[in-house]
Amino acid sequence: MERLKKFFRFNALSGEPVPAERTKKLFGITALFDTPDQIIHAADKISGHYKDFDVNTPYPLHGMDKAMKLKPSKLGFITLVFGLSGTVFALLFMGWAMTLDYPMIIGGKPFFSLPAFIPITFEVTVLLATLSTVIGMLTFFFNYPENNHPLVDTPYLRSVSVDKFGICIYASDTHFDEGNVKNLLMELGGKNIELVYYPQKESYPIFEPKFLIFLAIVAVITSGGTYITLNKLMYLPPFDFMLWQEKTTVQSKSHFYSDQFGMRTPVEGTVARGFLPYMYSGLPQPAQTLVNPLLPDKENLELGEKKYFTFCSPCHGNYADGDSRLNQQFPNPPSLHTDRARNFSDGMIYHIITNGQNIMPSYASQITREERWAITNYIRVLQRAKNAKETDLEFARRHGSLYDKVD
Amino acid sequence: MNSNTQEVMTDYKHEAVLVEGGLTRSDIEEFVARPLDTKPDKKFLIAITISGSMLLLGALCVGLTFWFGVGLWGNNQPVGWGFGIVNFVYWIGIGHAGTLISAILFLLRQRWRTGIARFAEAMTIFAVMCAGLFPIIHMGRPWLAGYLLPYPNQHALWPNFTSPLVWDVFAVSTYFTVSLVFWYIGLIPDFASLRDRTKTKLKKIIYSIFSLGWRHSHRNWQHYEKAYLILAGFATPLVLSVHTIVSFDFAVSIVPGWHTTIFPPYFVAGAVFSGFAMVVLVLVFVRKLFNLEHIITVTHLERMNKIMMATGMMVGYGYAMEFFIAWYSGNPFEQFVFISRALGPYAFTYWIMISCNVIIPQLFWFKRFRRSIPVMLAIAILVNVGMWMERFVIVVTSLHRDFLPSSWGMFIPTLTDFGILIGSFGLFFTLVILFTKTLPVVSIAEVKAVSEGAQPSHGDGH
């Protein structure tokens, strides 16, 4: 607290501002003038003798640049560079986002539609140009904030703030000599000629424990607040109103229907997309007309293999031997290598998968038609593998394995 | 100290006297800074109570909207854009006067702007704040407003950069930022003057922070003037672009009554028109309450009234041209919309708009009315009513008659709609009233620079 008081230079008791304690090191010599004409004349004369000086006026005076022999401001370069980079950045960014990262056809226009990018490009250009100009001026050109500058809180600056015009010649000038400067200012008609000394340096160590604790508290509050806002608050009413929908979810009770089932069976005769009605369902024997439409080839055998392993192998075993993996939780089916099974037509195997048999349920809703025929073909491969003929061995010897993907 | 002694100069080769009553530069500082040093008086408390109650009403209605949803508002099919967009366009328009005064009049070297620029800029900022609220509370889930910004997100999506609604986000946020920076830059020298003037501890701390250690150095003034020029140069096309982009929200669509190329210039003229009316309305009270009649003179107000009349006639031209194009295009849908505007169920809004915006400002042809405070006050209020009605006419009458008669409907605003509208005025006036008590309402440095004998007599900077 004492530091804060010192920083803003207040008498703790009266609240009155007190001037900062000054060192013995000279900063410069100041003089006040009453009229704009006087100060222009003085600046003109002084700029002939000294380089390190400044004029302080409550508002900018016309002709002062020339009197002080100042070069034109180079601030415009910051504006130019940042403005142009804003243009390029906005165009490139929108071009990338709309053509490469997430291309979408909007209103039948090309992905890179320049006319539609112009408004945002313009706005980004203006934003970057103005912000960079102002921030560049305040920090780079003026070295602000600088509340500890030697001239701040001097009677000199307090007069200038109202209506006086002042000149300050810095001690850092190579030709600076206290007597000469005073005489020159006196000659030019300056009043209130004063010496300004550097203020006492005040240090504010950033590793002070109190400051570190303050930083830690700010960090905890900020991150905790963000966490609570994003992860908790968003799921409280009213922010969660997307969850309050009047809808029935799967397997939930519904009070709308008399049977209270949330899930509804489709109207009788409804045909799902992509499915055809199976005319032999419930019959023990399919008609002789049910013919395998797929010739066995590598592609549908691979499909059949995959589906067989997924749906059939848990009970029928990996090689259709009827060796279930289910540890007697479910009765073992018979082997598919019996004569009976080998003499089934393709249509019969397909019918059993579709319709179920004994305790085997129907797989019609889980396995598509094409996949069922592919499984049928694969079962034929397994059956042939257990009962291979001599000619098959000859063939395999010549061509490598007939089907070498089965482990 | 008599404000009526100053006759208007008829010799236009000479600049009229900008600061009346022979005020010295320390007088100017005294007059402008006095409201900041004194305790709030009864008038101030009454004013802030009224505007604060309006603000509270608005906050209540916005809270209800957040809790129950935008179903509390009157908009529904086919009029999906109701008060939310009407108020947004209205407030954005109010904001335009400030930038026009501070940037365009600066570039045109209209030095009389110094007396009113600070106040108009502040009104710009407050009006854009009010405007920015409406699209956000209209969104249904306003807490997700951040989705409008292009930031890398988990949806791997970007906003549609070809949509006028996204242009709006960029235009309004850029406009607000640049206006705020422009305003702050103008305030820095005044903060320094206040810092050196104040006798209170807290104020000294605050002014020191905001003045950044400004010491009126000419080496700073040189860059400062350059920066001001650059900012004015950018703010001028910016202010034109903002209402142009707002008008694109309508003009880029294919709704009859919206799909027209006259919208950008006509929206900008309308914005300046309503903005100047609002500035006149507020300044008439401020100059009286804070004894600033010598700094914000009747001449200032008269000049603003002239601009009001000019922009009012531009708006009138826009209305006429819309009707002409409806007839000339031969498009039956376009013609139907305009006939239904003038004669349909919302005809009363159309005729309020025409009489307030086109007919009544014609009184300003007479110098007597231009310089009469009660007349300009009445006209400023009516122009604001008329310009709000204009946005209502554009938004509602174009939507309420769809292409198919089966989709026709009416828009009837609810109490919540009106509550939020009143609340936005409450927010605006509360901010204005607080501003008059916390910051110098007139730019001290700029007015000092145009007072008598402020510049060197044989200065070669002219």
Side-chain angles (χ1 to χ4, degrees), chain A residues 195-311:
Chain A
L195 303 178
V196 175
Y197 294 93
Y198 278 97
Q200 292 275 2
K201 260 246 153 61
E202 291 150 9
S203 62
Y204 300 94
I206 55 166
F207 292 115
E208 199 183 326
K210 270 185 198 162
F211 181 67
L212 288 181
I213 291 169
F214 168 76
L215 274 191
I217 291 172
V218 168
V220 167
I221 290 175
T222 317
S223 49
T226 312
Y227 176 81
I228 289 170
T229 311
L230 293 180
N231 293 302
K232 300 281 175 251
L233 212 64
M234 283 290 117
Y235 301 99
L236 293 175
F239 307 114
D240 64 341
F241 70 80
M242 291 294 272
L243 303 175
W244 300 350
Q245 296 173 18
E246 298 279 327
K247 67 173 185 189
T248 307
T249 52
V250 178
Q251 293 175 12
S252 66
K253 220 176 184 181
S254 165
H255 298 289
F256 183 76
Y257 300 106
S258 54
D259 60 2
Q260 300 204 340
F261 284 134
M263 262 172 99
R264 310 306 299 162
T265 43
V267 177
E268 212 176 315
T270 305
V271 179
R273 281 176 65 101
F275 278 86
L276 284 179
Y278 183 63
M279 61 180 92
Y280 313 110
S281 67
L283 298 175
Q285 289 285 332
Q288 293 302 312
T289 50
L290 197 54
V291 174
N292 189 347
L294 297 180
L295 281 175
D297 61 11
K298 191 168 155 65
E299 203 181 322
N300 77 56
L301 285 178
E302 275 175 1
L303 177 68
E305 179 197 3
K306 193 176 169 215
K307 295 295 162 184
Y308 179 86
F309 276 112
T310 308
F311 293 105

Side-chain angles (χ1 to χ4, degrees), chain A residues 6-25:
Chain A
K6 250 165 90 188
F7 182 65
F8 293 108
R9 304 197 187 99
F10 274 94
N11 183 331
L13 290 175
S14 65
E16 288 275 305
V18 292
E21 288 167 39
R22 302 272 166 170
T23 56
K24 293 272 179 261
K25 196 182 166 201

Side-chain angles (χ1 to χ4, degrees), chain B residues 77-370:
Chain B
Q77 293 299 339
V79 185
W81 276 8
F83 269 31
I85 304 302
V86 174
N87 297 344
F88 166 71
V89 181
Y90 172 76
W91 279 116
I92 284 280
I94 295 296
H96 277 48
T99 323
L100 189 100
I101 290 169
S102 58
I104 297 180
L105 296 188
F106 178 80
L107 293 182
L108 296 176
R109 294 172 193 277
Q110 297 292 309
R111 295 174 77 213
W112 58 273
R113 63 175 270 289
T114 51
I116 53 171
R118 167 73 44 75
F119 203 87
E121 284 168 33
M123 284 176 57
T124 293
I125 289 161
F126 304 148
V128 176
M129 282 180 185
C130 292
L133 278 180
F134 282 98
I136 291 175
I137 57 179
H138 194 177
M139 279 195 310
R141 282 190 289 167
W143 47 92
L144 300 180
Y147 285 2
L148 290 167
L149 302 172
Y151 66 101
N153 53 43
Q154 75 271 35
H155 319 295
L157 280 173
W158 298 108
N160 173 12
F161 292 113
T162 59
S163 158
L165 299 179
V166 174
W167 303 346
D168 246 5
V169 175
F170 279 85
V172 174
S173 51
T174 301
Y175 185 46
F176 180 72
T177 315
V178 172
S179 303
L180 194 66
V181 167
F182 207 14
W183 190 53
Y184 177 61
I185 282 290
L187 272 165
I188 293 176
D190 287 3
F191 276 129
S193 291
L194 294 170
R195 169 199 68 197
D196 290 339
R197 183 179 193 280
T198 187
K199 298 271 188 292
T200 9
K201 187 174 169 182
L202 185 67
K203 280 185 185 172
K204 169 102 176 175
I205 293 174
I206 293 168
Y207 292 144
S208 295
I209 290 171
F210 284 110
S211 72
L212 303 171
W214 179 265
R215 42 187 190 279
H216 306 288
S217 151
H218 191 79
R219 286 177 197 276
N220 291 358
W221 280 124
Q222 188 208 8
H223 298 300
Y224 178 92
E225 285 198 292
K226 183 91 175 180
Y228 211 84
L229 186 67
I230 290 171
L231 253 64
F234 275 107
T236 302
L238 178 66
V239 70
L240 300 182
S241 85
V242 172
H243 229 59
T244 299
I245 288 173
V246 169
S247 79
F248 282 165
D249 290 348
F250 303 95
V252 171
S253 74
I254 51 162
V255 175
W258 288 1
H259 187 63
T260 155
T261 48
I262 204 174
F263 260 28
Y266 147 58
F267 265 53
V268 171
V272 173
F273 183 45
S274 62
F276 266 69
M278 187 62 103
V279 174
V280 166
L281 176 64
V282 179
L283 278 186
V284 161
F285 288 106
V286 167
R287 66 193 285 274
K288 193 87 196 157
L289 287 178
F290 297 106
N291 298 321
L292 293 173
E293 281 117 327
H294 303 289
I295 295 169
I296 305 168
T297 61
V298 178
T299 313
H300 286 102
L301 298 173
E302 189 197 354
R303 288 179 185 193
M304 283 198 280
N305 291 340
K306 283 181 183 168
I307 293 176
M308 251 162 81
M309 192 176 71
T311 48
M313 287 194 294
M314 289 180 206
V315 170
Y317 172 80
Y319 300 153
M321 193 45 67
E322 276 186 323
F323 265 85
F324 172 75
I325 292 295
W327 165 75
Y328 188 68
S329 66
N331 180 341
F333 293 103
E334 194 80 15
Q335 289 167 1
F336 174 77
V337 163
F338 282 94
I339 290 170
S340 108
R341 268 189 196 174
L343 304 170
Y346 289 111
F348 71 99
T349 58
Y350 184 80
W351 293 110
I352 291 175
M353 166 185 109
I354 291 285
S355 45
C356 289
N357 292 353
V358 184
I359 299 168
I360 291 173
Q362 302 305 322
L363 284 178
F364 282 150
W365 284 108
F366 303 99
K367 190 170 167 185
R368 195 151 56 92
F369 292 133
R370 281 203 304 270

